Amino acid sequence: MLVLGIETSCDETAAAVVKNGREVLSSDVSSSLDLHRFYGGVIPEIACRVHTEVISFVVDRALKKAGVGLDKIGLVAVTVGPGLVGALLVGISFAKALSFTRKIPIVGINHLEAHLFAHFLEKRLSGFPYIGMVVSGGHTILVCVKDNFSYRLLGSTRDDAGGEAFDKVAKILGLGYPGGPEIDRLSRRGDPGRIAFPRSYLEPGSLDFSFSGLKTAVLYFVNRHPEIRRNGSSITVGKGGETVTVYDVAAAFQDAVVDVLVEKAVRACAFKKIRRLVVGGGVSVNSRLRSRLKTEARKRKISVFFPETRFCLDNAAMVAGLGYRRYKKFGPDHLSITAAPNLGIG
Ligand code: KG4
Ligand code: ZN
């Protein structure tokens, strides 16, 4: 069965054609990011407007790249939440129109579930059960996944999401938006051991996250040393007169986030006695997170799975792939499906 996936939950307008839930025939992503950069974050009104302008082109392009017409599509899968309500409604309305006029069944998809599903695309990977961790611009969650569509929430962030912390700290450092890729890149030139930023593990045994204290610590540091913002310039800190650059600040911040994510993920595996860990969402691209998780998982005999990089960030292939499984298990949804901006998991 060929599934057309549609994703418009944030600033990416994406469409994809996936065969039998796994084989990606096309995956097209058009981002309005350049229009948001000036504001340092996604402006919902701009995102919505661009979705309406480009969605039919993006869907058309995905079909063309896959070499199929709508007559060959057996199912339309569309993200219904969580996300920006106006943005979601553009994708949902478009998907409903296709479903109604072309008599194609439709299913609504949870964006967070789709991020966890992304690692199944193209390759046959983890079985069940597994511990899932989604770290994106809007969410940081840990779930126990017993089977397809059987989730138990173990922990989530109490304030900023992991990606949001990257974005805010990048802004504090005068870097571009989105901040994750920038901080990842600069960190490679820095020494994370030069500054000790706090790690918040919360109460003993807690699987929740908190990143706002860390963000504030970086803010205070930068306010004390504003000249650090200039790439390449160094400052002298501490009694020992140590030299610190923006690269070191980025690396120290990144290590603090990664330490907490890794600790909580392996703690969740130990707590549930599960040795499979699946990571998804934009932050799962992060090179330090990938290498640290691989090392720590190996020590504990945990198998860790990441999606291919192109399926970590928002895309519609993960939506189409999960749509296939949802349709097989629950059948089609009614045309009354609508946006669920605060949709959770488990
Ligand atoms: O999953 P995603 O594309 O969109 C949401 O569902 O939110 O994630 C976007 C987030 C942004 O906060 C971005 O800064 C972060 O993922 N991100 C990264 C990296 N690439 C993207 N964070 C850390 N390191 C990266 N290499
Ligand atoms: Zn996402």
Side-chain angles (χ1 to χ4, degrees):
M1 174 193 259
L2 295 186
V3 183
L4 172 67
I6 296 177
E7 155 66 45
T8 60
S9 65
C10 193
D11 58 320
E12 279 92 6
T13 318
V17 178
V18 175
K19 189 174 174 186
N20 297 332
R22 202 181 286 277
E23 192 186 334
V24 182
L25 303 188
S26 68
S27 176
D28 203 275
V29 182
S30 165
S31 174
S32 56
L33 201 61
D34 284 343
L35 300 172
H36 304 287
R37 252 188 256 279
F38 172 76
Y39 304 98
V42 173
I43 306 296
E45 286 75 9
I46 296 179
C48 296
R49 196 172 333 121
V50 177
H51 284 316
T52 54
E53 283 165 8
V54 305
I55 189 158
S56 56
F57 298 108
V58 173
V59 169
D60 220 36
R61 218 157 47 195
L63 290 168
K64 281 210 178 83
K65 280 186 191 163
V68 296
L70 272 176
D71 54 320
K72 295 283 185 300
I73 298 296
L75 177 71
V76 179
V78 61
T79 303
V80 291
L84 304 169
V85 63
L88 289 164
L89 282 172
V90 177
I92 295 168
S93 309
F94 194 90
K96 282 186 188 183
L98 280 183
S99 168
F100 182 70
T101 55
R102 308 298 293 236
K103 306 212 168 9
I104 308 171
I106 189 171
V107 286
I109 292 296
N110 179 327
H111 184 83
L112 299 174
E113 291 182 24
H115 270 308
L116 282 178
F117 173 83
H119 82 290
F120 281 110
L121 290 168
E122 297 286 6
K123 33 196 178 175
R124 214 166 277 273
L125 288 178
S126 92
F128 297 99
Y130 66 79
I131 297 296
M133 181 164 75
V134 177
V135 196
S136 68
H139 297 86
T140 302
I141 53 161
L142 268 171
V143 282
C144 178
V145 187
K146 290 253 167 66
D147 200 348
N148 281 316
F149 309 103
S150 168
Y151 305 95
R152 195 187 146 85
L153 185 67
L154 303 175
S156 59
T157 185
R158 295 187 187 170
D159 39 57
D160 293 344
E164 189 180 1
F166 273 93
D167 296 335
K168 288 180 174 170
V169 163
K171 203 168 181 177
I172 292 167
L173 291 173
L175 307 172
Y177 176 84
E182 281 277 283
I183 290 185
D184 195 352
R185 193 172 55 80
L186 295 192
S187 295
R188 291 184 197 140
R189 299 174 62 178
D191 174 0
R194 296 220 161 182
I195 311 161
F197 285 132
R199 276 99 171 122
S200 173
Y201 292 103
L202 302 169
E203 312 81 48
S206 170
L207 294 173
D208 281 345
F209 301 87
S210 168
F211 294 111
S212 69
L214 168 62
K215 173 195 66 189
T216 308
V218 178
L219 178 68
Y220 285 175
F221 182 87
V222 173
N223 281 348
R224 278 200 307 278
H225 310 285
E227 64 279 20
I228 195 84
R229 287 201 187 91
R230 281 195 302 277
N231 272 7
S233 70
S234 57
I235 53 160
T236 308
V237 295
K239 291 200 182 80
E242 273 204 273
T243 302
V244 172
T245 65
V246 71
Y247 308 117
D248 301 323
V249 180
F253 159 76
Q254 179 175 272
D255 254 36
V257 175
V258 167
D259 276 357
V260 174
L261 292 174
V262 170
E263 168 64 26
K264 299 274 169 160
V266 297
R267 204 184 266 181
C269 290
F271 171 55
K272 291 307 236 178
K273 299 190 175 55
I274 291 175
R275 290 181 188 276
R276 279 192 214 99
L277 173 65
V278 172
V279 191
V283 181
S284 64
V285 177
N286 187 269
S287 53
R288 183 82 178 139
L289 177 64
R290 285 189 174 226
S291 67
R292 280 287 317 283
L293 264 182
K294 278 181 197 156
T295 310
E296 295 305 318
R298 201 176 308 123
K299 279 188 208 159
R300 294 166 175 80
K301 298 194 168 46
I302 296 168
S303 309
V304 57
F305 303 94
F306 296 94
E308 281 178 39
T309 307
R310 65 191 175 125
F311 300 136
C312 289
L313 297 164
D314 287 353
N315 68 88
M318 64 184 190
V319 176
L322 185 63
Y324 175 80
R325 292 195 178 195
R326 193 171 172 86
Y327 182 69
K328 289 272 157 199
K329 187 152 182 175
F330 301 113
D333 280 329
H334 194 262
L335 268 179
S336 61
I337 54 168
T338 191
N342 300 317
L343 191 61
I345 192 169

